Amino acid sequence: MARADLILNLVKAAARGDLAQFKKTVEALAADERAKNHTIFADQLIAQLHVDGNGLSRTVPPATRMLSGPFVVEVVPRRHIEDLILPLEAEQAVRELVEEQHRADLLRSYNLEPRNRVLLIGPPGNGKTSLAEGIADALGVPLLVVRYEAVIGSYLGETSQRLGQVFEYARTRHCVLFFDEFDAVGKERGDLHETGEIKRVVSSLLLQIDALPSYVVVVVASNHPELLDRAVWRRFQIRLELPMPIQQQIEEWFKRFEKRTGHKLGLTPRYLAERLMGLSFAEIEEFGTDIVRRITLSGPDADTKKIAQQVLSQWMKRATVKTDNTGKRD
């Protein structure tokens, strides 16, 4: 059965002749039905929004058009929040967000909505994308990743129009909408070097974010928060920093790695962490994959400790190559 609050909103919107509210409510109904796997009925609801007074379809529904686009890639989440090593504040904030989304009906009974806008900042390779995927996994919804190469156009107004289609598509389903490298479309409008077009894109983008229903969780990530428009910051109820890992976090990563893979490396997590300080989580994971790869190829008699030492030596030399003339690491 459809949610009573949505049916009531639908009747109120129709009685007032409020077409904008009527459309939003139908989209929310479609998203609710899609979450119950009633996809055919959900598609029918959206299709009716594009039928004229004579019963003829005015245009192809945006949801159908987006699937053939695509401006987004739908990802089935495989990362779990429990698998990630997060700062305590970030882990707590994410768990609160998930609880609010799961108990949205209780909040709505008190005229409250769950939070649904998350800004992630920090250097590359430290879990921003993984966290977005983990949130989608915890909510049991798909992760929609925006494809900038398809969205950003060269003609006036093209980018804003395509972004509008992205948001229109997202509003018809429960999902996590993820913008990586958000500074590509959310740049500071006061920057004298930017064109009028990017300023219009930012203005349109902020309006679209404001209009998102709470069942769509939008997560944006940036490696360069200093480039973001000032108005972007206040749009997001949750703002989290994911910094480079500290030694204790790297040690914890290796403890989990040994448990997950069943390989005892013969080198203590502390020893490895001390020598791999300065690497991102993505690089540490790549290091671990290198070890597993060599163990697999060496067969059942593999000397795990020797392999770990060899791979570590290679990575230490790799770090030296990254060092510039001043002796500082990139």
Side-chain angles (χ1 to χ4, degrees), residues 93 146-147 161-162 165 173 190-191 194 200 217 222 232 238 250 260-262 294 298 308 320:
V146 178
R147 297 179 59 234
Q161 181 184 23
R162 291 175 179 177
Q165 292 180 35
R173 59 201 62 226
D191 188 342
E194 291 299 342
R200 284 187 289 270
V217 177
S222 175
V232 166
I238 300 175
I250 300 176
R260 184 176 75 248
T261 63
R294 299 314 310 168
S298 298
T320 303

Side-chain angles (χ1 to χ4, degrees), residues 11-185:
V11 173
K12 287 180 178 178
R16 293 195 300 264
D18 187 342
L19 294 179
Q21 185 59 41
F22 184 85
K23 180 182 177 184
K24 287 181 181 179
T25 307
V26 172
E27 290 173 339
L29 278 168
D32 199 51
E33 293 300 321
R34 206 181 298 279
K36 301 171 186 173
N37 289 323
H38 300 162
T39 54
I40 294 177
F41 182 45
D43 289 341
Q44 289 173 336
L45 284 171
I46 296 302
Q48 289 303 308
L49 290 176
H50 300 270
V51 171
D52 62 20
N54 297 318
L56 300 175
S57 178
R58 292 192 296 264
T59 60
V60 177
T64 303
R65 196 164 58 235
M66 282 298 303
L67 285 175
S68 62
F71 298 141
V72 296
V73 174
E74 184 167 323
V75 176
V76 177
R78 301 191 185 280
R79 295 272 190 172
H80 311 298
I81 292 176
E82 295 76 16
D83 297 337
L84 305 177
I85 299 175
L86 301 169
L88 183 61
E89 318 84 68
E91 183 175 355
Q92 181 177 346
V94 169
R95 294 198 180 281
E96 289 175 356
L97 170 75
V98 170
E99 181 186 16
E100 290 173 20
Q101 287 289 328
H102 280 313
R103 305 183 70 187
D105 288 344
L106 175 61
L107 290 174
R108 291 189 183 107
S109 70
Y110 287 88
N111 201 30
L112 296 168
E113 290 290 333
R115 290 175 293 177
N116 68 319
R117 299 192 293 274
V118 183
L119 170 62
L120 305 177
I121 61 172
N126 288 298
K128 296 187 291 297
T129 301
S130 296
L131 183 53
E133 190 174 342
I135 292 172
D137 172 75
L139 296 177
V141 301
L143 177 70
L144 303 183
V145 181
V146 178
R147 297 179 59 234
Y148 292 129
E149 70 273 20
V151 168
I152 297 177
S154 56
Y155 297 104
L156 186 66
E158 193 172 34
T159 302
S160 294
Q161 181 184 23
R162 291 175 179 177
L163 280 171
Q165 292 180 35
V166 168
F167 282 99
E168 192 164 359
Y169 177 63
R171 284 197 297 268
T172 66
R173 59 201 62 226
H174 289 258
C175 63
V176 171
L177 180 62
F178 180 56
F179 288 82
D180 197 7
E181 299 182 8
F182 190 64
D183 40 275
V185 289

